[in-house]
Amino acid sequence: MAKDSELLTSVSKTSTDSEFFSPMPAGYKPGRTKYLFVMGTVMSGLGKGIFSSCLAKLMQDKGLKVAPIKLEGYLNIDSGTLNPFRHGEVFILDDGMECDMDLGTYERMLDQNLSRANFCTSGQIFNDVLNKERHGDYLGRDVQMIPHVTGEVKLRLRNLAMKTNADVVFVEIGGTVGDLENAYFIEAMRELAYEEGQNSSCFVALTYILEPQTLGEQKSKAAQLGIKQLMQFGVQPDIIACRCASPVTDTVRQKISVYSNVPFERVISLPDSASIYTIPAMLRDRGLDFEVARLLKIEERLNLRHERKAWAQWCDFTDKIEAAQKPVTIAITGKYTSVRDSYASILNALEHAGIALGAKVNVKWVETTSITDANVSEPLGDVDGVIVPGGFGTRGTEGKICCIKFAREDHIPYLGICFGFQMAVIEFARSVCGLKGANSTEVEPNCPEPVIDYLPEQLKIEGLGGNMRLGGHDIELKPDTLAWRLFLEARTARMRFRHRYEVAPRYIELLEKAGLVFSGKAPNQPIMQILELPSHPYFIGTQAHPCLTSRPLRPQPMFVGLVAAALKKRYLQNDFPDPVSAVQKLCS
Ligand code: GLN
C-alpha cells in the first residue's frame, strides 16, 4: 500500500495553460471507488454521523470495504483545542489525531480503527494549499477557491480511497447546507461526482420535519427549502432521509418527493430511536442498503453469505439491548455535566458493558464544585459505582477528591479515567500516606507535594495545539493484579492517551509501600498508567481513556469490571459474577 507521502508527491502539478485542476494520486482509477455523500439541511445535530456510520456498517456487513471521512468547516487544524461543552468530546484516534466525536461513532459502528486520513478540517485544507503555494506548486497560477481549494478536497478523498482500497468512501459534511464555510465542500463533491462518472456517487440529504405542538401535524416546508438550497449548488440528492420525533407521514414524504425529483421510496422516514444501535435495522428494513448498492452499481461486489453471519451477530447484540433490564446507577463527576456529548464515549462504554451483563446503567451526573467530605454522602450515598472522568484545570477538583475518598472508604466500585486516575493518586497520598499538601501542579503549581507533575517532555512545549502525549500506547501489565486479569493475563494492553501530567516518579515508591498498586506502566519509561487497590472490591484507575476503545460487540474490560462490581454491590447476590469472571466470560 502506498504511503501518504508517496501519494502526495506523485500528484501531478498544475500548469498555467489549463483551467482544469484535479490532482489525483498515482495509480488512481476514477470510478473504481464509489462515494456516498451525507449532508444536512434545516439544522445541525440531525445525526448525520450516526446515519452515515449505520449505512456504512450495512455495506461493510455485505463484505464491502468502507472508509468514512468527516469534513469539518471550521478553521482549526484539529478538534484538540475545542471546548467539549460547545462541540462534544474530543475523540482521540490511535495515531494521536484529536478529532470530532463522530469519528467515535464510526469506530464503534464499524469496529474499525480510523486514522488522521479519516478527518479533515478547513484548517487542514487551507494549510496545505498555502504551503503548496509557498513551495511553488501552483506555478504561475493565481490560487483560487475553485479549482485549487476544491481540488485539495477531492485529493483528500481520493487519497483516502487509495490508502484504504475502499469500495465505498462515506463522506460526511459537518454543519448544514447553506453554511458559508461548507459551500466549497459541496462544490468539491459536485465536481468529484462529475469527474468520477455515472453511478460513482450517491448524495444523501438528511433533513428535519417540524411538528409544532400548536398545530399537531408535520410540516415539510423547511425541509423543502433546505433541499432546494442543495439543488442550487447543482447537487441532485438521490436519497432524502427525514428525521423527525415520530414516524414521517406518507403525505409529507410525497410532498418532499414532488419538490425534489427523488422517488417516493427513496424519501425515507427516520424517527427518533432509543438506541443508536437499532438504527442499522431501521435502514435495512427500508431497503436502503440495496438501494445504495443499485445506485452505485456495486451489486456484484456484495457478499451475501458474509452478510448473513455479520447480521446474525449484530442481531444477537441488539436483542440483548431490550433484555438489559437490571438497573444499576453509576455516578459521573465532572464540570461539563450539563452536556451529555462531552462524555459520549464513556456513556457508550457503559452502555456496551451494561448490555453485555444484562444491566440497565443509569447515569447520575454529579457537579462537584460544592462537594465536601461533610456532604458527599448526599449525592453518592445511593450509587453503585463512581467514575471520575478526564478533565482539565482546577474547578471542582477538591469535590472530585472527596468523591474518590468516599468511594475508597465505603467500598463503592470506582473507575478513574485520566484526570480521575491522577485525582485518585492525590487522594491516596493525602489520606493514606499523610502527605497533606499533595496535589497536581496543574491545579496548584507551587504545591508542597507535587505527586502529579508535568511529563518531562511537556516542559519544552509551547502553545496548546496537538502537543499533549497523544494516541495509542502499549501498557505493560503487572502479573497477578486485577488489571492483568481484566486483560485476560496478557503481557500488554493498548489504550489511548491524552495528557500533559503524570504521577511524579519520585513518589512511586512511597505510594506503593502504602498499598497502592501500579499494575500498568509504560514499557520503557517510569510513566504509571494503571492503579488499583487490592483491599477494595473494585478500585481501579488509568492514565488512559479506556472508553475510546469500547465497541458494541467487544465491551472494554475495565468498564465491564465496573458494571459487574456495581451489580454485585447493588444486589448483594452470589449469582452475579465477580468483575474478573464477568470479563473472562464476555471478553475471551
Ligand atoms: N489534565 C490532565 C493532564 O493533562 C488530565 C487530562 C485528561 O483527563 N485528559 O494530564
Side-chain angles (χ1 to χ4, degrees), residues 16 73 88 104 184 202 204 207 236 265 276 279 286 293 319 341 350 512 525 557 574 587:
T16 40
Y184 78 101
C202 172
V204 183
T207 191
Q236 166 64 51
E265 328 68 77
I276 73 163
I279 296 174
R286 290 161 181 53
D319 285 351
D341 279 358
L350 282 173
E512 287 197 316
Q525 289 165 284
N574 289 332
C587 305

Side-chain angles (χ1 to χ4, degrees), residues 92 388-393 417-423 440 442 452-455 458 468-469 497-502 542-545:
I92 317 300
V388 175
F392 292 85
I417 298 174
C418 202
F419 203 59
F421 162 91
Q422 296 173 353
M423 295 298 112
S440 161
E442 178 180 5
I452 304 294
D453 202 358
Y454 260 121
L455 283 155
Q458 290 288 325
M468 281 186 255
R469 183 167 179 271
F497 292 80
R498 183 178 189 239
H499 65 125
R500 277 184 220 290
Y501 297 83
E502 62 163 342
T542 172
Q543 184 64 79
H545 294 260

Side-chain angles (χ1 to χ4, degrees), residues 35-44 46-49 51-52 71 106 170-178 182-183 185-190 193 201-208 226-227 229-231 233-241 243:
Y35 295 86
L36 187 137
F37 304 112
V38 178
M39 293 165 243
T41 70
V42 178
M43 65 180 199
S44 61
L46 291 175
K48 292 187 297 287
F51 172 86
S52 175
L71 303 180
Y106 287 112
F170 282 77
V171 186
E172 176 196 346
I173 302 177
T176 38
V177 173
N182 289 323
F185 283 138
I186 298 172
E187 167 61 19
M189 310 300 98
R190 187 195 62 75
S201 50
C202 172
F203 287 90
V204 183
L206 235 72
T207 191
Y208 193 72
I227 290 156
Q229 203 168 11
L230 181 60
M231 292 163 89
F233 281 103
V235 168
Q236 166 64 51
D238 299 294
I239 294 169
I240 296 176
R243 292 279 297 108

